[in-house]
Amino acid sequence: MSDTRADFLARAASHLSPDPPGPDDPTSNPRGDHSLDPDGSAVIPPPPHRRAAVLVPVVFRVGGPRLVLTQRAANLRDHSGQVALPGGKIDPADPGPADAALREAHEEIGLAPESVRLLGYLDPYLSGTGFLVTPVIGIVPDDAAFTPNPSEVADVFEVPLPVLMDRERYVLEARVWQGRTRRYYALTFEDRLIWGVTAGILNNLRERLYPETSTHPTG
């Protein structure tokens, strides 16, 4: 894949939605781990779904674009220690998904909302726990300072975008959860395991921006 700034921005302009999907928008295409089930027997969490948003922060370095991810704090009740994108539930006071994603990114890693250049939205991702997560793609300045909130985030790190846009790295895995087999994508970067909703969203980003490599990997 080309890793130039111009190429990435052109793909984002062509393939991302400029407007956020509404919670009941029939034209949106909610995708989630249930869509990975080969025989269609996965249980889809019924509505009403709880709305959430995540920021997919891209920063351009000398060596090319990189994506900013977090390692969740070990003391959290949910998804402790897992790799995540900055984000969380959309509060009633949030005007929309982008506002929620930027607010959460500021709370979690100290990223100033006004410093982020928003590029667009992916289709929402439906988690196995019933959260309908809207990914918001944004450009972060290369001089942005990240200050992890220790109560929520153990670490902030970056992954080269070509790594995350390489379909060969995504492996389809399975585990039993609440008595049912759950299938999900997983990939590794150095000593980090990226899996579940985060890997699913990143794979959706790959399929949207780089449709020429849209074949689903197997594992």
Side-chain angles (χ1 to χ4, degrees):
M1 61 167 282
S2 172
D3 61 358
T4 67
R5 181 187 183 102
D7 178 71
F8 178 82
L9 294 177
R11 289 174 182 267
S14 297
H15 300 298
L16 295 179
S17 172
D19 302 309
D24 302 311
D25 184 358
T27 63
S28 67
N29 177 29
R31 298 185 57 187
D33 293 345
H34 61 272
S35 66
L36 304 178
D37 195 317
D39 59 12
S41 63
V43 175
I44 301 175
H49 300 129
R50 293 171 289 178
R51 297 178 63 208
V54 294
L55 181 66
V56 184
V58 177
V59 58
F60 290 95
R61 303 295 187 193
V62 173
R66 301 172 72 88
L67 200 146
V68 181
L69 293 168
T70 70
Q71 191 96 32
R72 290 172 60 83
N75 63 320
L76 292 176
R77 183 181 63 181
D78 298 320
H79 311 296
S80 60
Q82 293 184 15
V83 171
L85 292 158
K89 290 184 291 186
I90 299 177
D91 290 342
D94 293 320
D99 303 273
L102 293 172
R103 173 180 55 76
E104 288 283 349
H106 183 250
E107 293 174 2
E108 292 180 9
I109 62 175
L111 179 62
E114 64 274 12
S115 71
V116 181
R117 173 188 170 188
L118 298 180
L119 298 181
Y121 302 83
L122 288 177
D123 292 332
Y125 193 96
L126 183 58
S127 77
T129 53
F131 279 99
L132 192 60
V133 184
T134 298
V136 184
I137 318 303
I139 299 296
V140 176
D142 59 6
D143 59 352
F146 303 119
T147 307
N149 178 345
S151 66
E152 299 186 55
V153 174
D155 193 17
V156 179
F157 64 101
E158 299 176 9
V159 181
L161 191 68
V163 170
L164 300 174
M165 298 298 103
D166 179 2
R167 70 179 179 86
E168 299 301 328
R169 288 181 174 266
Y170 288 83
V171 177
L172 191 58
E173 297 188 352
R175 68 172 58 177
V176 176
W177 181 66
Q178 294 187 348
R180 294 182 178 273
T181 300
R182 174 188 175 187
R183 290 175 172 82
Y184 56 91
Y185 280 118
L187 70 155
T188 57
F189 173 68
E190 297 178 345
D191 60 346
R192 316 267 191 177
L193 174 64
I194 306 168
W195 67 283
V197 171
T198 299
I201 289 173
L202 295 176
N203 186 60
N204 284 357
L205 179 68
R206 178 189 66 77
E207 291 185 336
R208 179 69 71 86
L209 295 190
Y210 300 89
E212 64 271 23
T213 62
S214 61
T215 302
H216 288 279
T218 58

